[in-house]
Amino acid sequence: MIFGYARVSTKEQNEDRQLIAFKESGYKFDRIFVEKQSGKDFNRAEYRKMIKAVRKGDIIVIKSIDRLGRNYNEIIEQWRKITKVKNADIIVLDMPILDTTKNKDLLGTLISDLVLQLLSYVAENERVNIKQRQTEGIAAAKAKGIRFGRSPIYDYRDYIDVYDRFRRQEITQKQAMEIIGCCKTTYYRLMKAIREAKSLAQT
């Protein structure tokens, strides 16, 4: 049997490019597994289903080595498991030399192993670089005052004292916002709610 394995890192990403490559490859697929999950490890539902289904003599087709995964050691281990334990073959469309159905002699195997290790290293390195860029980007955004995650829920009753201090001119509006830890829009909303509450209390 011939299995296709396509993977994208998030639900927002599209796997069409990989599926088109499968269609254009000329292989007649018995089943294609599509995964929308990070390649940092192999704890993936669709991948596990595929490995469970693979038998001796079957073929797994992927578009590129980073679609299999991005963890250097685990790629090597999974490759060994598929080709040595399962006695199945792997075809990497973007890298014809990584086609275990061919070049099964000693030299061919050696070259394939070297190329696999190099590409696995590149995939792992790219994963590390992406993570580093994300970390740096978040740090830069936070330095500019950009907030991440869900906005906190403000209860106007918690800030009546701040309102009173501002009204007595003990603090400026900027200082009041800093004490509350909110943006202008939230500040105005809180102040309005406090004024309305005080007005109702006086009626």
Side-chain angles (χ1 to χ4, degrees):
M1 296 182 73
I2 299 179
F3 300 102
Y5 180 74
R7 184 189 65 79
V8 290
S9 297
T10 67
K11 292 180 179 180
E12 290 73 27
Q13 292 179 325
N14 196 303
E15 69 277 4
D16 286 353
R17 190 166 57 91
Q18 296 172 66
L19 299 181
I20 290 171
F22 289 164
K23 185 176 181 180
E24 294 177 345
S25 70
Y27 293 106
K28 185 177 180 180
F29 292 88
D30 295 284
R31 185 173 177 182
I32 293 177
F33 295 83
V34 177
E35 196 98 63
K36 289 181 179 285
Q37 192 172 334
S38 168
K40 64 180 181 179
D41 58 44
F42 284 85
N43 186 27
R44 310 177 218 135
E46 292 303 307
Y47 182 81
R48 291 199 301 270
K49 288 179 185 177
M50 180 182 69
I51 291 300
K52 188 175 180 179
V54 168
R55 298 290 183 267
K56 181 178 180 179
D58 289 345
I59 298 173
I60 295 175
V61 180
I62 55 177
K63 186 178 186 301
S64 56
I65 195 67
D66 63 345
R67 296 306 86 200
L68 186 64
R70 287 188 177 276
N71 183 297
Y72 175 82
N73 291 325
E74 291 196 20
I75 291 174
I76 299 298
E77 174 57 26
Q78 290 298 314
W79 190 280
R80 185 197 67 80
K81 179 178 179 180
I82 293 168
T83 60
K84 306 299 183 184
V85 179
K86 291 278 188 177
N87 288 312
D89 284 298
I90 304 176
I91 295 174
V92 182
L93 297 178
D94 285 356
M95 187 63 61
I97 196 171
L98 292 180
D99 180 347
T100 64
T101 65
K102 304 174 182 177
N103 305 317
K104 289 184 176 289
D105 61 318
L106 184 60
L107 180 59
T109 301
L110 174 62
I111 294 173
S112 294
D113 286 348
L114 290 173
V115 172
L116 170 64
Q117 291 188 47
L118 175 60
L119 293 178
S120 300
Y121 170 77
V122 170
E124 165 81 2
N125 193 55
E126 178 61 14
R127 182 179 73 86
V128 172
N129 288 338
I130 288 173
K131 189 173 182 180
Q132 179 63 26
R133 289 195 294 269
Q134 288 175 337
T135 302
E136 291 172 352
I138 291 172
K142 285 184 176 179
K144 293 180 179 179
I146 298 174
R147 296 175 180 271
F148 293 86
R150 296 181 62 181
S151 299
I153 298 173
Y154 296 93
D155 187 331
Y156 75 89
R157 290 169 295 187
D158 295 332
Y159 305 105
I160 293 175
D161 61 326
V162 178
Y163 172 85
D164 291 339
R165 290 177 64 191
F166 172 70
R167 294 288 295 175
R168 293 195 299 268
Q169 298 185 346
E170 295 175 3
I171 56 174
T172 64
Q173 178 179 299
K174 182 179 179 181
Q175 289 172 325
M177 289 171 57
E178 288 176 350
I179 292 170
I180 297 171
C182 65
C183 63
K184 276 188 177 181
T185 302
T186 301
Y187 173 79
Y188 292 139
R189 177 175 59 79
L190 289 171
M191 296 302 105
K192 181 181 178 182
I194 293 172
R195 285 197 301 272
E196 291 176 349
K198 282 178 172 288
S199 177
L200 288 172
Q202 294 171 357
T203 59

